[in-house]
Amino acid sequence: MKLLIPTALLALASARLVNKTINRCDGVIVNGINHEKEVIKENVDKPYMMSIDYSTNVLYYTYTGHQRMTFVPAALNLKTKENYIITGMRGAFSTSVDPKSHRIYIAGMDGIYEFDNQEKIIRNLGLTNLNIWQVFAKDGVIYYTTYPAEKAFVYKNLQLTKVAGIGDTRALLLGLDKKDNIFFSNSSGVFFHPKDGNLTILVGEYTVNAFTTDANEKLHFSTPAGIFSTEVESTGNVKIKKVAEINNIYGMAVEAAPMFYKTTVDLQIFKD
Ligand SMILES: *[C@@H]1O[C@H](CO)[C@@H](O)[C@H](O)[C@H]1NC(C)=O
Ligand SMILES: *[C@@H]1O[C@H](CO)[C@@H](O)[C@H](O)[C@H]1NC(C)=O
Ligand SMILES: *[C@@H]1O[C@H](CO)[C@@H](O)[C@H](O)[C@H]1NC(C)=O
């Protein structure tokens, strides 16, 4: 399970819109606009698989715990900066918040749990006892991938099946856009499977470390070299746009809507 983890210490940081002047050398350029970098939580070892509950502005993430022996889930309130360490499960690796129901899922080495942020209660959903690499929740449906088998499953209407378009091929990470088109990645690259269609196509040879949707459910992914947005045109063509070039990204979540809709955008980034 530690396969993808480099040894460097990482901080949890965010980039905030500071000025519409592009030619500054500090900060981070996101969609052509300079953002200032801000560390939002220090002393967090390799935070990973972040997600945001947009109704509460709480960021969920996991990090490497004491003596690198375990993975710990935590919740960071982005407004108050209050940080809460979630107890009650072992080896928590991935988090996901369903954008509609706002249910919070945390997956780890013995399955998928649901976390109640008000009561601070965590419970195993009992869907699987496999080692889970990633969980992705959307519209009451739970998608997850296993490790080391790299199989993708979907739990919908009380039924557990393989994910259409992925089937028996390897998938370590996946994400769905607003229209339920599926993107997934394995060591060969990023692949796309349209909601209504039978073909799975190669999008590019990216080394993905996170799929995440923003508040408008636009799907993004990150690689160690940058942040990319996805778009499926009406013709069915997939357009990938590099929205930020940042080195050593380890995971990410998008805090607010992209700046096309709002004047500020916050990108939560991991950086050396
Ligand atoms: C943005 O930066 C430029 C150059 O540093 C400065 O002249 C301008 O006043 C700034 N604008 C705002 C809104 O801060
Ligand atoms: C990744 O997925 C694609 C599409 O299903 C598949 O063709 C390819 O063999 C997979 N790569 C690996 C390493 O399994
Ligand atoms: C996908 O395949 C199924 C079964 O082979 C077929 O009925 C369906 O029309 C195909 N869909 C598309 C969009 O090609």
Side-chain angles (χ1 to χ4, degrees):
M1 195 142 185
K2 291 179 182 167
L3 212 71
L4 295 182
I5 296 171
T7 52
L9 265 183
L10 298 140
L12 190 54
S14 89
R16 279 177 199 283
L17 178 63
V18 283
N19 194 317
K20 295 204 185 227
T21 311
I22 312 182
N23 294 321
R24 283 179 40 174
C25 52
D26 58 337
V28 178
I29 309 295
V30 180
N31 277 325
I33 295 174
N34 194 37
H35 287 60
E36 198 172 69
K37 216 167 49 187
E38 178 203 340
V39 175
I40 55 175
K41 177 89 184 93
E42 273 173 340
N43 301 320
V44 182
D45 191 10
K46 293 186 280 300
Y48 195 46
M49 295 281 195
M50 296 180 289
S51 55
I52 295 174
D53 182 351
Y54 296 108
S55 69
T56 56
N57 222 21
V58 172
L59 172 81
Y60 296 92
Y61 64 100
T62 68
Y63 65 96
T64 305
H66 191 54
Q67 295 180 325
R68 299 173 185 263
M69 292 299 285
T70 183
F71 299 102
V72 181
L76 176 69
N77 187 312
L78 293 169
K79 268 186 245 136
T80 63
K81 299 291 192 288
E82 181 201 353
N83 191 64
Y84 177 80
I85 293 170
I86 299 166
T87 55
M89 69 177 286
R90 293 185 309 144
F93 202 59
S94 156
T95 72
S96 181
V97 181
D98 189 316
K100 289 223 173 60
S101 67
H102 303 289
R103 285 169 184 256
I104 301 145
Y105 299 97
I106 304 172
M109 56 189 288
D110 62 356
I112 300 168
Y113 291 68
E114 185 177 344
F115 176 62
D116 181 332
N117 190 39
Q118 255 161 28
E119 306 293 330
K120 303 282 189 269
I121 291 169
I122 194 161
R123 77 182 168 96
N124 193 329
L125 294 179
L127 300 183
T128 169
N129 52 15
L130 293 175
N131 188 10
I132 308 303
W133 188 271
Q134 186 212 1
V135 58
F136 188 97
K138 183 178 189 294
D139 306 336
V141 183
I142 300 172
Y143 301 81
Y144 64 87
T145 61
T146 63
Y147 187 83
E150 295 184 41
K151 295 289 176 245
F153 295 93
V154 53
Y155 181 72
K156 184 181 180 181
N157 299 331
L158 305 176
Q159 291 205 316
L160 197 57
T161 53
K162 294 264 174 64
V163 177
I166 302 181
D168 281 321
T169 54
R170 284 179 178 265
L172 190 56
L173 294 165
L174 58 77
L176 280 79
D177 69 8
K178 191 169 182 151
K179 293 188 171 146
D180 284 337
N181 296 306
I182 294 174
F183 288 80
F184 67 95
S185 70
N186 59 32
S187 60
S188 312
V190 174
F191 296 87
F192 167 70
H193 181 81
K195 178 174 187 276
D196 303 307
N198 295 329
L199 283 182
T200 296
I201 60 156
L202 174 69
V203 170
E205 289 175 8
Y206 301 96
T207 307
V208 175
N209 50 29
F211 279 105
T212 190
T213 49
D214 65 18
N216 295 324
E217 291 191 60
K218 188 177 182 68
L219 187 68
H220 293 66
F221 64 84
S222 61
T223 75
I227 295 173
F228 301 80
S229 66
T230 69
E231 191 184 327
V232 181
E233 297 175 321
S234 51
T235 56
N237 282 342
V238 176
K239 258 174 67 180
I240 304 296
K241 186 175 156 201
K242 190 176 210 170
V243 295
E245 192 168 304
I246 306 165
N247 284 324
N248 302 318
I249 293 181
Y250 197 59
M252 67 135 189
V254 185
E255 184 175 332
M259 63 199 67
F260 307 114
Y261 313 107
K262 282 209 168 95
T263 51
T264 60
V265 61
D266 294 349
L267 277 173
Q268 315 299 329
I269 60 167
F270 293 141
K271 199 172 182 304
D272 263 341

